[in-house]
Amino acid sequence: KVPTMASILSWDNLSGYGKLPIHADRGVIVWNAIMKDQLIRWHGFKNNEIYVAGVPSYDVYAKIGNNCPTREQFFKAINADPNKKLITYTTAPPTICDTEDEVIDIITKAIQQNSLIAPAQLLIRLHPKDSRKHYQSLEGVTDIIFDNPGLFNAAFSDQWSPTEQDVIHLLATLKYSDIIINVASTVAIEAAIFNKPIINIGFDGYQKKPYRESVLRYYQDYTHYINIVKASGMRLAKSGEDLIYFINQYLNQPSLDAQGRQRIVEEQAGYLDGRASDRVANYIINNVKKY
């Protein structure tokens, strides 16, 4: 009989993790209207039991201000060439995709063979659950830069407990990348916040996997990511040829799909005023005061 409230941690929790084990009787806090609708349709909540607050972890993008380094400072920190385009690949855990080394090899060869329309370099930002050993063949290769985001921390589910400096580094990565590539990652939302061209990987490197094992399933079967696809704010590469073609398209016209990226931001992030955390705290305080 203890009163309960809940705050849903992430955009895929309501569609990908089964029924909620309890009915929080004093309300549920969510990121956006999509999650609110999911609570009503699938989890038996009423409209007045749900509060849309925005994404607390995105507050930093509105507040970081002058702490963000300049492009020159950031490129120097990662040993990048300021005269070349920066293509950033954010990896996934091997349990999500185990062929990213092959996908990255395709990009690397395109850079080396001058198949891109502009000189470019590839920044590989490793997921906390990924390992640099998966990309040993790329060690020391020209125009390949590895980035380990912060310190490993097994106490957290994603094994990453970022410091403020880690968050500033991520912000700079998003701000100064020319294209951001990943496999069905939340990073797509953050890239859209910075209006950066997004390419999602929908093929399995040099392999041909059955659909149920292929990364392509994430874009067709996973409810939360289907909304990203529907927004038309990114390009889904279903082959190596697609991937290089889309990279060149975006290098030539960065504004391509900008309207779709704005739709991603509006639908997924909602508020971007830096006050989502305040709204969560105030909702809890005001709710408690009613009783």
Side-chain angles (χ1 to χ4, degrees):
K1 297 182 180 180
V2 176
T4 55
M5 296 179 66
S7 180
I8 306 302
L9 177 66
S10 189
W11 64 327
D12 62 348
N13 290 175
L14 296 172
S15 62
Y17 290 82
K19 293 284 286 185
L20 292 176
I22 63 166
H23 188 99
D25 57 2
R26 290 201 186 173
V28 181
I29 303 165
V30 296
W31 287 10
N32 53 50
I34 292 174
M35 294 171 68
K36 180 177 181 177
D37 180 64
Q38 291 172 348
L39 272 174
I40 294 170
R41 288 192 293 124
W42 299 334
H43 299 276
F45 284 83
K46 297 177 183 178
N47 182 70
N48 62 2
E49 295 178 307
I50 307 165
Y51 180 66
V52 176
V55 189
S57 58
Y58 293 169
D59 283 354
V60 64
Y61 297 136
K63 294 180 176 180
I64 210 72
N66 295 328
N67 289 330
C68 185
T70 63
R71 183 179 185 272
E72 291 72 20
Q73 290 170 332
F74 175 69
F75 271 53
K76 183 177 181 180
I78 63 173
N79 294 316
D81 185 341
N83 298 311
K84 294 181 178 180
K85 300 292 186 180
L86 183 65
I87 301 170
T88 296
Y89 192 111
T90 62
T91 74
T95 52
I96 301 296
C97 179
D98 61 1
T99 58
E100 289 192 295
D101 58 328
E102 298 178 9
V103 175
I104 289 171
D105 184 61
I106 292 170
I107 303 172
T108 302
K109 287 178 178 176
I111 292 173
Q112 293 174 333
Q113 295 168 6
N114 296 317
S115 299
L116 303 184
I117 64 171
Q121 56 209 320
L122 181 65
L123 175 65
I124 303 172
R125 180 181 167 89
L126 296 173
H127 190 280
K129 290 184 179 179
D130 198 5
S131 173
R132 192 158 169 168
K133 69 181 182 181
H134 297 143
Y135 312 96
Q136 286 181 342
S137 63
L138 298 172
E139 293 285 354
V141 175
T142 303
D143 293 323
I144 300 297
I145 306 162
F146 283 95
D147 193 19
N148 292 84
L151 297 174
F152 174 87
N153 191 328
F156 292 83
S157 61
D158 63 2
Q159 298 181 351
W160 186 45
S161 176
T163 64
E164 182 180 4
Q165 193 56 45
D166 292 330
V167 174
I168 292 172
H169 183 77
L170 171 58
L171 183 149
T173 302
L174 294 164
K175 184 175 182 179
Y176 299 124
S177 293
D178 293 283
I179 298 173
I180 295 174
I181 305 173
N182 58 69
V183 176
S185 171
T186 316
V187 172
I189 302 175
E190 295 168 287
I193 290 172
F194 286 85
N195 195 23
K196 297 298 178 176
I198 306 157
I199 300 175
N200 280 156
I201 301 302
F203 67 102
D204 307 295
Y206 298 120
Q207 303 180 37
K208 186 67 176 178
K209 291 189 176 186
Y211 177 75
R212 291 187 65 180
E213 299 175 13
S214 172
V215 295
L216 185 60
R217 73 189 191 278
Y218 298 129
Y219 310 98
Q220 299 178 178
D221 291 345
Y222 282 59
T223 301
H224 70 288
Y225 217 86
I226 287 173
N227 290 311
I228 298 293
V229 177
K230 287 180 178 178
S232 300
M234 61 80 173
R235 296 297 167 106
L236 178 58
K238 296 183 179 180
S239 67
E241 292 77 16
D242 277 356
L243 177 57
I244 303 309
Y245 177 74
F246 293 148
I247 289 174
N248 279 326
Q249 271 196 314
Y250 278 140
L251 288 176
N252 182 56
Q253 189 179 351
S255 62
L256 197 64
D257 302 320
Q259 187 173 351
R261 292 194 289 273
Q262 182 58 36
R263 180 180 169 185
I264 290 173
V265 174
E266 292 171 356
E267 291 182 348
Q268 301 295 338
Y271 307 100
L272 276 179
D273 56 1
R275 298 197 61 198
S277 300
D278 295 341
R279 280 187 287 274
V280 170
N282 288 331
Y283 179 76
I284 294 170
I285 292 169
N286 292 334
N287 196 302
V288 170
K289 286 180 178 179
K290 292 179 183 178
Y291 296 88

